[in-house]
Amino acid sequence: IVQLNNVVKEYALGKTVVRALRGVSLTLARGEFIAVAGPSGSGKTTLLNLIGCVDKATSGTVTLDGAETNTLDDHALTELRLHKLGFVFQSFNLIQVLNVYQNVEFPILLQGTSTGGERHRMVEEIIDRVGLKEYLRHRPNELSGGQRQRVAIARALVGKPMVVLADEPTGNLDSKTGQSIIDLMKQMNREEQTTFIFSTHDPRVMEQAQRVIELVDGQITANGAQPAK
Amino acid sequence: IVQLNNVVKEYALGKTVVRALRGVSLTLARGEFIAVAGPSGSGKTTLLNLIGCVDKATSGTVTLDGAETNTLDDHALTELRLHKLGFVFQSFNLIQVLNVYQNVEFPILLQGTSTGGERHRMVEEIIDRVGLKEYLRHRPNELSGGQRQRVAIARALVGKPMVVLADEPTGNLDSKTGQSIIDLMKQMNREEQTTFIFSTHDPRVMEQAQRVIELVDGQITANGAQPAK
Ligand SMILES: Nc1ncnc2c1ncn2[C@@H]1O[C@H](COP(=O)(O)OP(=O)(O)OP(=O)(O)O)[C@@H](O)[C@H]1O
Ligand SMILES: Nc1ncnc2c1ncn2[C@@H]1O[C@H](COP(=O)(O)OP(=O)(O)OP(=O)(O)O)[C@@H](O)[C@H]1O
Ligand SMILES: [Mg+2]
Ligand SMILES: [Mg+2]
């Protein structure tokens, strides 16, 4: 469902070129639950941004559900992101003027494929699952760091997308809260065949992944399988 | 050097009141290296913000280096923050229009107590210690999450403040990078008697603290001592 073929990503800064990805090739099947691990600055966010159509590769191809993303115009990319992907950003990217409920409702409101009643049920259910039912009316600046992270998670999951990209989704969460998030995601993986790709440093996330892909200096150095627990 | 006496912090949201701290009392001596641990939403950031004079208590007293912070006007609070404190914010709070070098130089530039040559040496040294010497000219939006976190750390440490408050300073860092940061901070603790207070979920930080204070629902539930490693 996700395929990368010799992907390179370079950032140009004046005379300097930073090579964040140096020829990455990767194939993921539907329903996989994988972790991408690596040191700070190794290219994890860059990789997720390319899969998630938030950025474009310098060279190489990214294919998502059969569509090669380089060949899509902005409108088609936006549609792909909206209907097939959920993204938990490393810096959360919540909308500051919307409260928790409105932030989580936003993607399914844009999709336009559910009634008001259906949306209400979906939003309230996912917010309860991430432990924030008492914070519905809070705005992002009236929440703790870990609470904001969970709003970002709820927003990424609410529409039950085909693929979820989660960039360090547990970094601000204590052990118990982090585990309840992983449990929620594992359930979606089982019941909906949602593909999950995590960028992570968290050993708890790695342990529960089917496979850990190691990234060092923009290159994949290990692409191992391990049994899920 | 830091003393809290029955501190309460309430946030008012329309009709709702959120009690983030519910009567916290705490005494810390100079040179301590302590961790504050607790679930997401338990009050850790709130506690650090009060000690760091970034916010004010609803009731109770906070005393920092002998000065009761409620009695200080804004100018005196700013001076206290500038000259005695270093703060690593959970969301980093980097200045987007400044590059890495300029962000780190900023606090000691404001202090006005060192020459240009002294500042240059201090800034370059601390940036090297956090592993970012090749990123001096990058702006925050040209850095990875963990790289931004390390800029925030460098900025908090550059002026060798009396007290450093670090709110989840390793959340975005891989194990090796995180350990090198902890080592840097332990060295300052030993050599300069810098007091370090961490908010953290990271077991590696807790293990290396002299004491772990547990916070649950705005109250201290454990205030234990443990030997440092
Ligand atoms: N500005 C604010 N307005 C209203 N409520 C707030 C505000 N800041 C924090 N809170 C609430 O106060 C409580 C404590 O927040 P705090 O940020 O101190 O928690 P924390 O322990 O740092 O959590 P985390 O580990 O998720 O960062 C939370 O319930 C939070 O929703
Ligand atoms: N917009 C940008 N402009 C220039 N360089 C960038 C940009 N974004 C990332 N980089 C650089 O590309 C490299 C990879 O960045 P990336 O954000 O993918 O790393 P990461 O593995 O997610 O790190 P972390 O674990 O710290 O989040 C880093 O060296 C970073 O400085
Ligand atoms: Mg990243
Ligand atoms: Mg916090």
Side-chain angles (χ1 to χ4, degrees), chain A residues 12-13 16 18 38-41 45 90-91 135 138 142 144-148 150 168 170-175 177 201, chain B residues 12-13 16 18 38-42 45 90-91 135 138 142 144-148 150 168 170-175 177 201:
Chain A
L13 297 173
T16 312
V18 176
S40 175
T45 293
Q90 197 167 7
S91 51
Y135 294 87
H138 284 228
E142 298 160 337
S144 79
Q147 288 168 341
R148 291 187 204 140
R150 285 181 274 157
E168 312 249 12
T170 56
N172 282 280
L173 303 180
D174 60 279
S175 192
T177 308
H201 303 123
Chain B
L13 297 172
T16 314
V18 176
S40 175
S42 56
T45 294
Q90 195 167 9
S91 50
Y135 294 87
H138 285 230
E142 298 160 338
S144 78
Q147 287 165 344
R148 291 186 203 140
R150 286 181 273 157
E168 312 248 11
T170 56
N172 281 280
L173 303 180
D174 58 281
S175 193
T177 308
H201 304 123

Side-chain angles (χ1 to χ4, degrees), chain B residues 127-196:
Chain B
I127 288 175
D128 189 24
R129 288 297 302 274
V130 300
L132 290 178
K133 74 192 282 191
E134 294 170 9
Y135 294 87
L136 293 176
R137 303 291 164 222
H138 285 230
R139 296 216 179 161
N141 68 345
E142 298 160 338
L143 296 171
S144 78
Q147 287 165 344
R148 291 186 203 140
Q149 192 160 46
R150 286 181 273 157
V151 174
I153 289 163
R155 182 181 63 183
L157 302 183
V158 67
K160 296 187 193 252
M162 180 183 301
V163 180
V164 172
L165 304 161
D167 200 350
E168 312 248 11
T170 56
N172 281 280
L173 303 180
D174 58 281
S175 193
K176 182 178 172 188
T177 308
Q179 187 55 53
S180 74
I181 294 301
I182 296 166
D183 290 345
L184 168 59
M185 290 173 163
K186 297 280 288 185
Q187 182 182 359
M188 274 184 72
N189 175 254
R190 276 192 319 270
E191 295 180 355
E192 314 285 340
Q193 293 290 295
T194 310
T195 302
F196 278 89

Side-chain angles (χ1 to χ4, degrees), chain B residues 197-218:
Chain B
I197 307 163
F198 298 82
S199 150
T200 190
H201 304 123
D202 190 339
R204 327 164 274 200
V205 176
M206 288 185 230
E207 284 173 4
Q208 300 185 65
Q210 289 162 345
R211 209 173 12 138
V212 179
I213 291 168
E214 295 201 3
L215 202 57
V216 177
D217 278 332

